Amino acid sequence: MDQSTDTTQLRIVQQQKLKDLQAHQKNLKELQAELEKINLRIKNHEKLSTEDTKFISELGWLSALSVTIASIAASL
């Protein structure tokens, strides 16, 4: 392959990665908004719904999993 083909392929990959990052950023903003709602309920001493509790527990599980994955990646 010549250099221009490599450059074109690199741009395509970079554009896809950018789209992926933007999608993740949108998801993170949604998660943050949900956490802020739950935090406000807690501060106002409101009872949390079953969905709120489930959301928090799933988020905790995902946090633990991400730490494990990061630890394994760091050890490689």
Side-chain angles (χ1 to χ4, degrees), residues 26-62:
K26 180 182 179 230
N27 290 339
L28 286 172
K29 286 180 180 180
E30 291 172 5
L31 287 172
Q32 182 180 7
E34 186 63 30
L35 281 172
E36 287 173 1
K37 288 178 193 174
I38 293 171
N39 191 39
L40 184 60
R41 287 187 196 125
I42 291 169
K43 284 183 178 181
N44 291 334
H45 305 288
E46 296 176 19
K47 184 174 180 176
L48 295 179
S49 69
T50 304
E51 291 82 23
D52 293 338
T53 306
K54 183 179 175 186
F55 179 82
I56 292 170
S57 66
E58 288 176 356
L59 196 57
W61 179 83
L62 288 172

Side-chain angles (χ1 to χ4, degrees), residues 17-31:
K17 293 292 182 186
L18 179 60
K19 288 178 186 176
D20 291 345
L21 287 172
Q22 289 169 336
H24 289 304
Q25 184 178 25
K26 180 182 179 230
N27 290 339
L28 286 172
K29 286 180 180 180
E30 291 172 5
L31 287 172

Side-chain angles (χ1 to χ4, degrees), residues 58-75:
E58 288 176 356
L59 196 57
W61 179 83
L62 288 172
S63 297
L65 181 61
S66 67
V67 168
T68 302
I69 291 170
S71 297
I72 291 169
S75 69

